[in-house]
Amino acid sequence: MAQELETKDAGNVVRSNGETRPAALTFTPAVDIFEKGETTVIIADMPGVAFDGVDVTLERQVLTLRGTLKPRASEGYRRISSEYREGDYLRVFTLSDEIDQAKINAEFKNGVLRLELPRTAKTQPKKISVNAA
Amino acid sequence: MLQTNYSPWGFNDPFADMRRLQGTMNQLFDSGRSAERSGTYPFVNFWAGQDSIVMSAELPGLAEQDIELTVKDKMISIRGTYPEPETGDDVTWHRRERPAGSFLRSIELPFRIETDHIDARFENGVLIVEMQRPEADKPKKIQIKSS
């Protein structure tokens, strides 16, 4: 299970002193979270981010997903209409389970980050057998 | 609207809160990515180059073969289907925010697109389509003769 943490600078759009600065936008990426067996899977959409712009950190129970947009060569091009905006991505979760850090699997493909977080053996539910007295 | 200092209600303007609310709402709708709010999908940006128009759309999670791009006269259509999310008896969902299902969007451009002058790329979940303007549509320089 992962619970989302609100970071101070991770609103839908982050702006410094109320100004619109398209160069420094940070978005909250859309995520899918599900558990499959003993693994928690987090999938986050980060379109426009290249493989080397993804940064995942797990510090104690705090999982931070960060994507830095790869600037596109737009020289000689002029924006004529804009329905979406581009920016970096940031989302933070606290994990309620112990994660086996050595077995975390992260994959990045087509702008999507997929994280597989296996629970450690000791946090897996234990079956306790009841003996008839 | 013309802003004046005249306030018939003195400091207790009953509409002040309403205006403030309206301002906040406008700000809310103007900011962020309004992905869930509208029936149009995907969202596209347009860029104008020297002799071309570039269209870009964010389609994370799709692969090149999941996107179908068709061009007819002035109309460009993007069609695609997102892969099915994970299913199974042992899957417990906690959050599902990412787009799913299929979409189709057609956009009319201001000029006829020639199919052999299109360059489409799909990179890191972003579709970029560059369309060259046809020769006939390009602005022409006209020589001015002195009499």
Side-chain angles (χ1 to χ4, degrees):
Chain A
M1 232 337 248
Q3 195 182 11
E4 184 159 10
L5 278 188
E6 282 296 326
T7 47
K8 212 175 171 191
D9 58 342
N12 194 12
V13 174
V14 179
R15 278 185 245 167
S16 55
N17 56 50
E19 304 258 333
T20 318
R21 280 172 48 221
L25 291 175
T26 303
F27 296 106
T28 307
V31 294
D32 279 1
I33 302 175
F34 59 89
E35 269 173 69
K36 195 176 185 182
E38 300 309 327
T39 312
T40 303
V41 182
I42 299 181
I43 307 174
D45 280 349
M46 297 180 175
V49 174
F51 170 75
D52 50 8
V54 186
D55 184 43
V56 182
T57 50
L58 179 62
E59 202 186 338
R60 286 184 199 163
Q61 305 284 83
V62 180
L63 178 77
T64 308
L65 316 178
R66 203 185 289 269
T68 312
L69 192 77
K70 186 179 140 201
R72 254 213 332 270
S74 56
E75 227 168 272
Y77 291 95
R78 159 175 69 84
R79 195 187 284 268
I80 45 178
S81 91
S82 197
E83 291 178 350
Y84 72 87
R85 294 206 271 172
E86 294 164 335
D88 298 339
Y89 301 90
L90 174 67
R91 200 148 175 186
V92 182
F93 297 96
T94 27
L95 305 169
S96 53
D97 302 314
E98 281 296 330
I99 299 297
D100 193 346
Q101 298 219 13
K103 288 189 192 148
I104 294 177
N105 189 20
E107 226 175 80
F108 191 75
K109 199 182 159 197
N110 289 330
V112 179
L113 172 71
R114 185 191 169 99
L115 274 179
E116 286 176 6
L117 310 155
R119 268 173 282 173
T120 49
K122 68 173 183 208
T123 56
Q124 281 166 19
K126 254 180 246 123
K127 182 129 179 129
I128 296 158
S129 55
V130 180
N131 300 317
Chain B
M1 210 181 90
L2 191 68
Q3 292 276 328
T4 56
N5 287 327
Y6 170 70
S7 167
W9 311 94
F11 286 106
N12 300 316
D13 182 354
F15 300 111
D17 274 335
M18 250 164 83
R19 274 200 302 270
R20 196 155 50 232
L21 184 72
Q22 193 182 23
T24 315
M25 289 302 271
N26 285 344
Q27 212 174 29
L28 197 71
F29 284 113
D30 288 343
S31 67
R33 24 189 57 210
S34 42
E36 295 84 23
R37 235 169 269 126
S38 154
T40 22
Y41 191 87
F43 287 100
V44 293
N45 283 358
F46 276 101
W47 308 74
Q50 200 70 0
D51 294 315
S52 64
I53 271 192
V54 177
M55 182 183 82
S56 68
E58 291 183 332
L59 298 166
L62 287 177
E64 291 89 357
Q65 62 268 20
D66 299 329
I67 307 166
E68 198 187 305
L69 203 65
T70 43
V71 162
K72 193 180 182 286
D73 296 332
K74 289 178 168 183
M75 198 76 92
I76 181 159
S77 305
I78 321 167
R79 190 195 291 268
T81 307
Y82 278 99
E84 285 289 316
E86 220 118 340
T87 48
D89 290 337
D90 57 342
V91 172
T92 316
W93 280 91
H94 293 301
R95 243 169 237 251
R96 197 179 274 188
E97 300 169 355
R98 298 174 56 239
S102 56
F103 58 85
L104 165 66
R105 183 160 184 202
S106 298
I107 299 146
E108 197 177 339
L109 295 169
F111 54 79
R112 222 186 112 91
I113 317 147
E114 292 188 35
T115 35
D116 45 340
H117 290 120
I118 301 181
D119 172 44
R121 271 168 298 147
F122 190 66
E123 212 174 80
N124 297 321
V126 181
L127 175 74
I128 299 161
V129 186
E130 181 152 14
M131 293 158 279
Q132 299 295 330
R133 288 170 79 168
E135 267 322 304
D137 193 63
K138 281 181 193 168
K140 285 201 181 60
K141 202 176 168 98
I142 292 153
Q143 207 66 42
I144 302 165
K145 282 174 254 164
S146 56
S147 55

